[in-house]
Amino acid sequence: LILNIIDGTNLERNLYLTTQLSEIGIPIVVAINMMDVVAKNGDKINIQQLSKAIGCEVVEISALKDTGIEEVIETSIKTIKNSNSFVAKHNFSGSVEHSIAHIEEAVLHSLPENQQRWYAIKLFERDGKIIEKLKLTKETLFHIENDIKNCEEELDDDSESIITNERYNYIDSIIKKCYTKKNKSKFSVSDKIDRIVTNRWLALPIFALVMFVVYFISVSKS
């Protein structure tokens, strides 16, 4: 079992890892921490809807107030007893799912069903270690590469970025169903900074600027 503890005040960011963990094929229990802070902010997370959307048990906890811990333990034990296998529930857009299904069919049909999706996504991302581990023939790699390239051309992006975008699109659809902010226009200082420094186009220039300033200061002082 994987016990995935996530921060309820940063649900979108934390659910990214959850989507990756769900593909491994191991049963998951998600514990949402800091629910006391979420309530204090006047926000609401629909736990039942979230559980249904991500396909696993979700429990509210507060580590600070020591609440929900017993429920997490009980839910974990119950999940272990009732889960012989776990298959990721989330889906990506049509063209990406089509490519992943093709990869599963061409290469991974001999693997356990609950592991196939993880391997297929890794192959779609051209993960060198997975390709080496599976010892794929040149013919098979050529067949897979055609599927990946067709998807890249259709979505006008590289395979790794496509999967990243698909995960965030999926998470965004969950947030819209399950998360209600008291003040939708209100962002914390941390949120505002994150929106700038993790921006797809601004992140690298900002990083380069910071490194230049650090280098300039260190050289000037010496």
Side-chain angles (χ1 to χ4, degrees):
L1 177 89
I2 297 174
L3 177 57
N4 179 208
I5 302 175
I6 65 178
D7 179 358
T9 63
N10 287 293
L11 195 60
E12 182 176 7
R13 187 188 308 165
N14 282 246
L15 282 176
Y16 190 91
L17 175 61
T18 305
T19 65
Q20 294 175 306
L21 294 175
S22 69
E23 293 158 3
I24 297 175
I26 299 173
I28 300 175
V29 170
V30 173
I32 305 184
N33 191 25
M34 299 182 70
M35 286 299 292
D36 54 322
V37 179
V38 173
K40 184 179 179 181
N41 292 338
D43 301 337
K44 293 181 180 178
I45 299 175
N46 188 323
I47 299 300
Q48 289 73 29
Q49 188 68 37
L50 179 60
S51 175
K52 183 179 178 181
I54 61 180
C56 65
E57 294 289 340
V58 179
V59 182
E60 299 181 30
I61 67 170
S62 171
L64 181 64
K65 295 187 176 181
D66 197 26
T67 59
I69 310 303
E70 289 296 325
E71 188 181 351
V72 168
I73 295 171
E74 291 172 4
T75 303
S76 299
I77 293 171
K78 180 182 175 182
T79 301
I80 291 171
K81 288 180 178 179
N82 296 338
S83 298
N84 294 322
S85 62
F86 180 86
V87 180
K89 189 175 181 179
H90 64 270
N91 291 312
F92 299 141
S93 63
S95 56
V96 180
E97 282 295 328
H98 179 74
S99 297
I100 290 173
H102 253 222
I103 293 171
E104 289 181 10
E105 183 180 349
V107 184
L108 307 170
H109 49 81
S110 61
L111 291 175
E113 183 185 357
N114 60 331
Q115 297 179 18
Q116 289 180 15
R117 185 174 181 84
W118 184 82
Y119 277 101
I121 291 173
K122 286 298 177 183
L123 288 174
F124 183 87
E125 293 177 317
R126 299 187 179 95
D127 188 301
K129 290 184 178 179
I130 298 302
I131 292 172
E132 183 180 350
K133 179 179 178 180
L134 293 175
K135 295 181 172 59
L136 302 178
T137 64
K138 289 183 179 180
E139 291 76 16
T140 302
L141 285 173
F142 179 77
H143 179 70
I144 291 174
E145 187 62 24
N146 280 338
D147 280 329
I148 298 172
K149 284 183 177 179
N150 289 336
C151 190
E152 288 177 327
E153 289 176 5
E154 181 177 340
L155 299 177
D156 192 27
D157 214 340
D158 65 272
S159 61
E160 283 192 76
S161 296
I162 287 172
I163 292 296
T164 299
N165 291 333
E166 290 293 322
R167 291 192 196 281
Y168 278 119
N169 289 338
Y170 166 69
I171 291 167
D172 185 56
S173 69
I174 292 176
I175 297 296
K176 288 178 180 177
K177 295 176 184 176
C178 308
Y179 193 83
T180 305
K181 274 186 171 288
K182 182 180 180 181
N183 188 348
K184 294 183 179 180
S185 62
K186 184 179 179 181
F187 291 98
S188 66
V189 174
S190 177
D191 290 334
K192 292 176 181 177
I193 293 172
D194 286 344
R195 287 169 70 88
I196 297 172
V197 299
T198 62
N199 180 276
R200 185 174 181 179
W201 305 111
L202 296 177
L204 285 177
I206 290 172
F207 174 75
L209 178 62
V210 170
M211 293 305 296
F212 172 78
V213 171
V214 171
Y215 175 77
F216 179 79
I217 293 172
S218 63
V219 170
S220 299
K221 287 186 176 182
S222 61

